[in-house]
């Protein structure tokens, strides 16, 4: 591992200045640092400067999680460096966006959640074993092949046409999408970016996964309260594992009737995968109409194109979507909560 310097700026302006400092060839931002450390250990990056932004913004707000406007109470704000545990434990998040709490509770381990940050979770790199292995010079690392196409692709995407077949690794991103999440930026020409616009497909740039421009730093995240919301994921190992499929849902209900829905799947595509056709099919249906729910959820695999080893996701995804819908409505049996 090459030697590198470490800087701890006291302001976003100082961090921006370090990013553009000509003395450094590869400055890298670090908050919780979970994925950065993995990349260092795996030899995937060789920075000459680590910029520690863990504490940035902590002195700006009295509360690191709170209302954007205390009087209006229409949107919640979360500091980018807030940890996953802080969000899970905060009453405002639990009451107004249960889907976020449920998604974060199902991510990683308690030890990781105590350190990993909100923005870090959104910007973590893919967990594809070919990308993470130094021995494979895959497309994402500048090579000329996605080794998953002819190799082991059990955990890879069933949506999207490549050329890279990663799945998006964040639990937090799908949950934010069904809460109309927005990332707030400093360091570029843009002040805000909808969470749905933060990511791009591999054919739009295979070396990256997000649309952040050079010098842009996420300072905080805002989202709309969605109290009728839920998350469900299926893993091979429940204690700690990456999901095989997951789904975040927010509902607008009139009694037992679904007025409208937002549904976003995860672990099945290179980006959080919105399912508007499922949402449209649910409108006007009773949450108690099991046949109608199943028919709508079967549409979740429309346009899916499985690879040699991951067709099982086409059977799994409709079940995951239906259980997320039921959980959002408070109708999921307790014995299925952690299935």
């Amino acid at each position: 591992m090459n030697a590198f310097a470490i800087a701890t700026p006291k302001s976003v302006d100082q961090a921006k200045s370090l990013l553009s400092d000509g003395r450094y060839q590869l400055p890298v931002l670090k908050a919780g640092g979970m994925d950065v450390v993995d990349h260092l250990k795996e030899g995937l990056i060789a920075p000459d400067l680590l910029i520690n932004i863990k504490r940035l913004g902590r002195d700006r707000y009295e509360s690191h999680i709170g209302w954007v406007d205390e009087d209006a109470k229409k949107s919640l704000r979360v500091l980018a460096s807030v940890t996953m545990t802080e969000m899970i434990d905060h009453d405002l998040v639990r009451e107004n966006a249960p889907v976020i709490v449920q998604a974060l509770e199902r991510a990683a381990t308690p030890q990781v959640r105590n350190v990993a940050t909100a923005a870090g979770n959104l910007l973590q790199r893919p967990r594809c074993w070919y990308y993470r292995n130094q021995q494979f010079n895959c497309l994402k690392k500048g090579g000329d092949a996605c080794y998953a196409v002819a190799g082991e692709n059990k955990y890879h995407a069933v949506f999207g046409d490549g050329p890279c077949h990663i799945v998006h690794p964040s639990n937090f991103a799908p949950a934010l999408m069904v809460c109309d999440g927005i990332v707030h930026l400093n360091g570029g020409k843009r002040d805000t970016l909808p969470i749905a616009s933060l990511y791009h497909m591999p054919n739009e740039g295979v070396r990256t996964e997000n649309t952040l421009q050079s010098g842009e730093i996420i300072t905080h995240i805002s989202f709309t309260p969605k109290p009728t919301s839920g998350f469900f994921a299926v893993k091979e190992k429940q204690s700690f594992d990456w999901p095989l499929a997951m789904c975040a849902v927010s509902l607008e209900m009139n009694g037992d009737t679904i007025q409208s829905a937002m549904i976003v799947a995860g672990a099945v595509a290179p980006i959080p995968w919105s399912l508007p056709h499922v949402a449209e099919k649910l409108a006007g249906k009773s949450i108690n109409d099991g046949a109608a729910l199943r028919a709508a959820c079967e549409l979740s695999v429309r346009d899916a194109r499985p690879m040699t080893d991951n067709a099982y996701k086409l059977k799994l995804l409709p079940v995951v979507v239906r259980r997320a819908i039921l959980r959002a409505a408070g109708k999921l049996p307790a014995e299925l909560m952690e299935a």
Side-chain angles (χ1 to χ4, degrees):
M1 185 183 298
N2 295 331
F4 52 83
I6 298 178
T8 303
K10 295 181 179 180
S11 68
V12 173
D13 286 341
Q14 285 185 359
K16 290 188 297 184
S17 177
L18 287 165
L19 281 173
S20 60
D21 192 323
R23 292 176 297 170
Y24 303 104
Q25 298 299 310
L26 183 60
V28 171
L29 297 175
K30 181 204 79 70
M34 304 306 299
D35 200 20
V36 170
V37 170
D38 283 347
H39 272 70
L40 289 170
K41 292 190 297 184
E42 291 157 355
L44 296 174
I45 58 172
D48 49 2
L49 175 67
L50 279 186
I51 305 170
N52 179 14
I53 57 172
K54 175 72 173 177
R55 306 304 301 176
L56 283 189
R58 288 267 166 173
D59 56 351
R60 181 177 177 185
Y61 300 104
E62 182 177 343
S63 174
H64 305 140
I65 300 174
W67 295 106
V68 171
D69 184 326
E70 189 66 37
D71 295 325
K73 290 183 168 57
K74 291 183 178 180
S75 182
L76 282 163
R77 181 200 70 248
V78 172
L79 198 65
S81 61
V82 159
T83 67
M84 295 162 69
T85 297
E86 287 177 297
M87 285 188 283
I88 291 168
D89 291 343
H90 204 284
D91 288 342
L92 278 180
V93 183
R94 301 189 74 87
E95 293 165 7
N96 292 282
V99 63
I100 289 177
V101 172
Q102 293 164 18
L104 294 177
E105 285 176 333
R106 297 286 283 154
T109 63
Q111 294 87 345
V112 171
R113 293 194 293 267
N114 287 341
V115 176
T117 63
N121 185 279
L122 295 178
L123 300 178
Q124 63 186 298
R125 302 299 305 277
R127 300 291 166 172
C128 168
W129 40 39
Y130 296 111
Y131 167 67
R132 294 279 171 165
N133 193 320
Q134 294 182 68
Q135 298 180 51
F136 295 94
N137 187 31
C138 70
L139 282 174
K140 188 158 283 296
K141 292 184 286 189
D144 57 6
C146 174
Y147 292 97
V149 174
E152 297 181 9
N153 49 51
K154 179 179 180 180
Y155 304 118
H156 287 75
V158 294
F159 293 103
D161 295 324
C164 171
H165 298 270
I166 59 162
V167 296
H168 194 267
S170 173
N171 281 30
F172 188 26
L176 270 180
M177 283 180 66
V178 302
C179 294
D180 302 316
I182 296 172
V183 293
H184 296 255
L185 307 171
N186 195 320
K189 297 180 180 179
R190 304 177 297 181
D191 295 324
T192 62
L193 188 65
I195 186 69
S197 300
L198 179 60
Y199 306 108
H200 64 74
M201 292 292 283
N203 63 352
E204 298 173 35
V206 74
R207 298 294 297 273
T208 62
E209 300 82 48
N210 65 69
T211 61
L212 290 182
Q213 298 169 0
S214 178
E216 285 185 331
I217 299 173
I218 297 177
T219 57
H220 61 286
I221 301 154
S222 63
F223 55 90
T224 303
K226 299 284 184 177
T228 308
S229 60
F231 177 89
F232 195 86
V234 170
K235 308 175 182 180
E236 286 186 323
K237 182 174 66 176
Q238 297 308 308
S239 58
F240 169 61
D241 209 349
W242 302 101
L244 302 172
M246 57 183 167
C247 184
V249 172
S250 65
L251 302 174
E252 296 292 335
M253 304 285 295
N254 182 5
D256 287 335
T257 301
I258 299 171
Q259 299 285 84
S260 63
M262 293 183 66
I263 303 172
V264 179
V268 292
I271 61 174
W273 199 252
S274 183
L275 298 171
H277 43 289
V278 178
E280 291 169 9
K281 189 75 171 178
L282 287 171
K285 303 296 191 300
S286 170
I287 193 69
N288 300 313
D289 187 340
L293 287 188
R294 284 183 170 82
C297 294
E298 286 298 325
L299 295 176
S300 63
V301 294
R302 192 178 77 183
D303 303 323
R305 300 174 65 180
M307 304 175 79
T308 54
D309 299 328
N310 65 4
Y312 70 93
K313 291 193 178 190
L314 275 61
K315 294 183 179 179
L316 197 59
L317 185 57
V319 175
V320 169
V321 173
R322 182 169 59 85
R323 290 184 180 181
I325 293 167
L326 291 171
R327 191 173 192 184
K331 299 286 186 177
L332 186 67
E335 64 268 21
L336 295 180
M337 290 291 187
E338 302 298 328

